Amino acid sequence: MNHIIKKIKERDNIFVLLLLLFTSTGICLNMLISSNDEVWNFQNVYKMYNGFKIYKDVNVIITPLFFWCAEFIFHILGANLFVFRLSHCILMSILFLFTYKILKKLNVPKTFSLLTILVMVLQEFFLLIRTSFNYNNMALMFAVIGIYYLINRQNKRNWLIQAIISICIFLTKQNIGIYYIVANILYMLVSDNAKEYKIKEFIKYIALVCIGIILFLSFLLIDNNLYNFFNYTFGGLTEFANENVAFEVPCIIYLVGLMIINIIISIFIIKKKCFSKEKEENVKILFTFSIVFSLIAYPIFNWAHVLMGTHICVINLVYIVYNVFKDFEKNIAKIVKFINFILILGFIGFAGYNIVVWKLNIESEQYPYSWEDPFFGGIIATEEYEKDEKIIDYIKNNDKNVIVVSNRAALYMVPLKRNNGDFDLPFKGNFGIKGEKGLIEKIQNMSDTIFLIYENESSIYYQEVVETKEYIKNNKKYMGKIENFSIYE
């Protein structure tokens, strides 16, 4: 009976999950196919689905769990953009659901917790949610789940849960995994809960994490893929960090401002013993993880990375602010409920409209893709489709191998099910220890190869290889143009 009562009380979790799933579906489905993170990640997973091996054939610079999971989903449900986007909707719904569950576990009322989630969804509308299925969001989801169980404190084997979560995050994205492990260790050092974090438990946590990583590396060794793994995931780190530093001033201001507020308020609360021991311990958890996770924003300080890096910081500030102004809860409860109601209606209306528009698009006679096509589910203008088809036909009907040295390569290689390795995503830091020089060396050793270089400056991504393109222009024969591409042989 108690179990049934508990389930009834937690029915709000189901409502929140369904609301998040519906909203994220409406945000994600009705999007144009374009050369961006979504298509680049989709391309790598699609290559694996078609038999190419990660690291050996595909220049992935991240640990493989996300790609393995996505490939598995493709084999179960189908390999197309619709399945890819739907998977992302489920992932983001779980991420925000556990954010909501953290706030509830911290005894923040459901209405205030829901408002926080809705505002975060609104804030991350066109950024985290529209970036689609990727390893960053998956790693953040695991981290939020791990923090939920850390705050829960009801499981005597929490070290085991934390070790499993740490391994999952590391296997999803290595740097975020390291951040999570470091944050866990720091919290163990500053925690007052000596009984919970004995030296023996600390050793068991570290030992299990190390065993998990060793088993993973052993698998790669047996698979003859260990060198390729280290070459791509660690070999290009210096080039990636040095060549890809980018920032937007508003992002820096938001990140630095939020972190300063977070540090000042959190340290004040802890030093002055403003809260009860349990609440203070919660602040220590959230504060420790929020500080370490702010490093996610480096080296690409754009809104997507900054919002990921400040996700836990926002949870901490909401928790502190709620407890400081708890006496005003009754006075503003009705206002919060009204705001929630308006936001929920807005989300449902927006998502519903977009789903209907998307459905009409893919059911129209002009829609060019069927379920078997990899880009099924994505929206594309007729003019863009015809341009892409012209390039695809040129590549397909050419006797020589055609390499598209552009961030747009995936738009053509995915439908053709072809793989040109490093050239399909020619970004600095994506080529292993030899870097861009290694890419030029490959060109020097190629014969019977045609290179297409995109000449539309506004569509050239800042991470793309400049030296490689210049080498092709200076050492290969110009053969003409096709669409916005110059042809070199």
Side-chain angles (χ1 to χ4, degrees):
M1 179 61 73
N2 289 335
H3 178 71
I4 296 174
I5 292 172
K6 185 180 178 181
K7 288 296 181 183
I8 293 173
K9 286 182 177 180
E10 290 184 352
R11 66 187 183 276
D12 61 299
N13 289 340
I14 299 174
F15 168 76
V16 170
L17 179 62
L18 293 176
L19 174 65
L20 291 169
L21 189 57
F22 184 73
T23 301
S24 57
T25 302
I27 295 171
C28 288
L29 285 187
N30 193 36
M31 292 196 305
L32 292 171
I33 298 169
S34 63
S35 183
N36 55 20
D37 283 312
E38 176 185 47
V39 168
W40 301 330
N41 284 317
F42 178 83
Q43 172 185 228
N44 288 331
V45 177
Y46 194 66
K47 284 182 180 182
M48 293 166 62
Y49 172 79
N50 284 304
F52 296 104
K53 184 182 287 189
I54 191 170
Y55 308 125
K56 180 178 180 293
D57 306 309
V58 185
N59 63 329
V60 170
I61 62 172
I62 307 298
T63 38
L65 185 58
F66 163 77
F67 298 95
W68 285 345
C69 290
E71 183 193 2
F72 176 76
I73 292 169
F74 277 6
H75 282 291
I76 298 299
L77 300 178
N80 57 45
L81 203 57
F82 170 72
V83 171
F84 198 70
R85 288 178 174 178
L86 192 60
S87 301
H88 175 66
C89 295
I90 295 170
L91 185 152
M92 293 304 294
S93 299
I94 295 172
L95 166 62
F96 284 114
L97 174 65
F98 270 89
T99 303
Y100 174 74
K101 285 168 70 70
I102 286 175
L103 290 168
K104 284 204 308 175
K105 183 59 65 176
L106 293 170
N107 292 318
V108 176
K110 293 178 183 178
T111 51
F112 289 83
S113 299
L114 180 59
L115 177 62
T116 302
I117 297 304
L118 295 176
V119 171
M120 290 178 85
V121 171
L122 190 65
Q123 183 186 29
E124 298 172 8
F125 212 86
F126 295 103
L127 298 161
L128 293 191
I129 299 178
R130 289 179 71 91
T131 53
S132 199
F133 204 26
N134 68 77
Y135 41 80
N136 285 311
N137 292 336
M138 179 177 276
L140 183 59
M141 178 196 73
F142 282 132
V144 169
I145 293 173
I147 292 169
Y148 169 77
Y149 282 105
L150 196 61
I151 289 172
N152 200 8
R153 298 195 194 94
Q154 293 178 1
N155 196 312
K156 293 181 180 180
R157 294 185 178 273
N158 207 10
W159 65 270
L160 177 61
I161 295 174
Q162 292 306 310
I164 293 171
I165 291 291
S166 298
I167 293 168
C168 288
I169 298 173
F170 180 83
L171 294 184
T172 303
K173 192 178 184 186
Q174 63 271 32
N175 67 322
I176 299 181
I178 292 170
Y179 298 156
Y180 189 86
I181 293 168
V182 169
N184 240 315
I185 293 172
L186 289 176
Y187 170 64
M188 290 177 186
L189 295 175
V190 302
S191 171
D192 291 331
N193 294 334
K195 292 181 180 179
E196 288 188 37
Y197 296 105
K198 297 176 182 177
I199 294 177
K200 186 167 69 173
E201 291 188 343
F202 172 79
I203 293 173
K204 286 192 290 186
Y205 166 75
I206 296 298
L208 187 55
V209 170
C210 290
I211 289 171
I213 295 174
I214 290 170
L215 287 174
F216 163 66
L217 296 177
S218 299
F219 167 77
L220 292 175
L221 180 63
I222 295 169
D223 197 38
N224 295 317
N225 213 6
L226 186 60
Y227 170 76
N228 298 320
F229 166 75
F230 276 109
N231 183 42
Y232 279 113
T233 56
F234 294 99
L237 278 179
T238 302
E239 184 181 52
F240 187 92
N242 292 337
E243 299 291 342
N244 294 326
V245 175
F247 62 89
E248 300 170 20
V249 174
C251 298
I252 295 291
I253 294 173
Y254 175 82
L255 174 65
V256 173
L258 201 64
M259 294 313 298
I260 289 173
I261 294 170
N262 182 38
I263 291 169
I264 292 173
I265 294 178
S266 297
I267 292 177
F268 180 83
I269 293 294
I270 295 169
K271 288 288 186 183
K272 297 296 182 180
K273 304 292 182 183
C274 300
F275 291 172
S276 66
K277 187 175 180 180
E278 181 181 355
K279 290 181 179 178
E280 184 182 308
E281 201 65 27
N282 292 333
V283 172
K284 284 182 179 179
I285 294 172
L286 294 171
F287 175 63
T288 304
F289 278 85
S290 66
I291 293 299
V292 178
F293 266 56
S294 65
L295 296 172
I296 292 174
Y298 176 82
I300 304 174
F301 294 91
N302 59 21
W303 279 115
H305 286 87
V306 166
L307 288 175
M308 281 186 288
T310 56
H311 189 92
I312 299 167
C313 176
V314 171
I315 298 174
N316 186 41
L317 289 176
V318 168
Y319 178 59
I320 291 173
V321 169
Y322 168 74
N323 280 283
V324 170
F325 296 99
K326 191 175 180 180
D327 294 338
F328 296 93
E329 177 185 335
K330 292 182 179 179
N331 297 331
I332 63 173
K334 290 183 178 179
I335 298 174
V336 171
K337 287 181 180 179
F338 177 74
I339 295 173
N340 284 343
F341 178 74
I342 295 299
L343 287 175
I344 290 171
L345 280 184
F347 285 163
I348 291 174
F350 177 85
Y353 171 79
N354 274 281
I355 290 172
V356 170
V357 171
W358 171 80
K359 192 171 184 296
L360 291 173
N361 265 310
I362 66 167
E363 289 180 349
S364 68
E365 294 181 359
Q366 290 76 32
Y367 190 69
Y369 303 120
S370 63
W371 177 267
E372 291 75 22
D373 293 313
F375 287 144
F376 172 82
I379 306 301
I380 187 168
T382 302
E383 183 181 353
E384 288 299 314
Y385 175 76
E386 290 173 352
K387 286 181 180 179
D388 290 349
E389 282 298 298
K390 188 175 180 180
I391 302 295
I392 291 170
D393 288 339
Y394 174 81
I395 297 171
K396 184 166 56 177
N397 297 322
N398 206 303
D399 294 333
K400 298 180 180 180
N401 184 36
V402 179
I403 293 178
V404 181
V405 189
S406 166
N407 71 78
R408 298 177 61 84
L411 299 175
Y412 319 114
M413 295 303 151
V414 167
L416 290 168
K417 298 182 182 179
R418 292 191 184 182
N419 177 26
N420 283 316
D422 295 354
F423 293 95
D424 288 340
L425 192 58
F427 287 175
K428 296 170 184 175
N430 282 30
F431 313 122
I433 195 166
K434 289 187 176 181
E436 190 174 356
K437 292 181 180 178
L439 196 68
I440 294 174
E441 286 178 12
K442 289 181 180 179
I443 295 173
Q444 292 171 345
N445 296 323
M446 286 179 175
S447 59
D448 294 327
T449 305
I450 292 174
F451 299 91
L452 301 185
I453 296 182
Y454 201 63
E455 300 294 356
N456 187 345
E457 292 293 332
S458 63
S459 297
I460 295 176
Y461 203 65
Y462 75 95
Q463 288 180 261
E464 284 190 54
V465 285
V466 176
E467 289 181 27
T468 302
K469 291 182 179 180
E470 288 302 314
Y471 176 85
I472 293 171
K473 290 179 179 178
N474 295 330
N475 293 274
K476 300 294 179 179
K477 185 179 179 181
Y478 176 74
M479 303 297 290
K481 294 194 71 174
I482 179 170
E483 294 300 330
N484 287 320
F485 288 94
S486 294
I487 305 170
Y488 292 88
E489 184 177 359

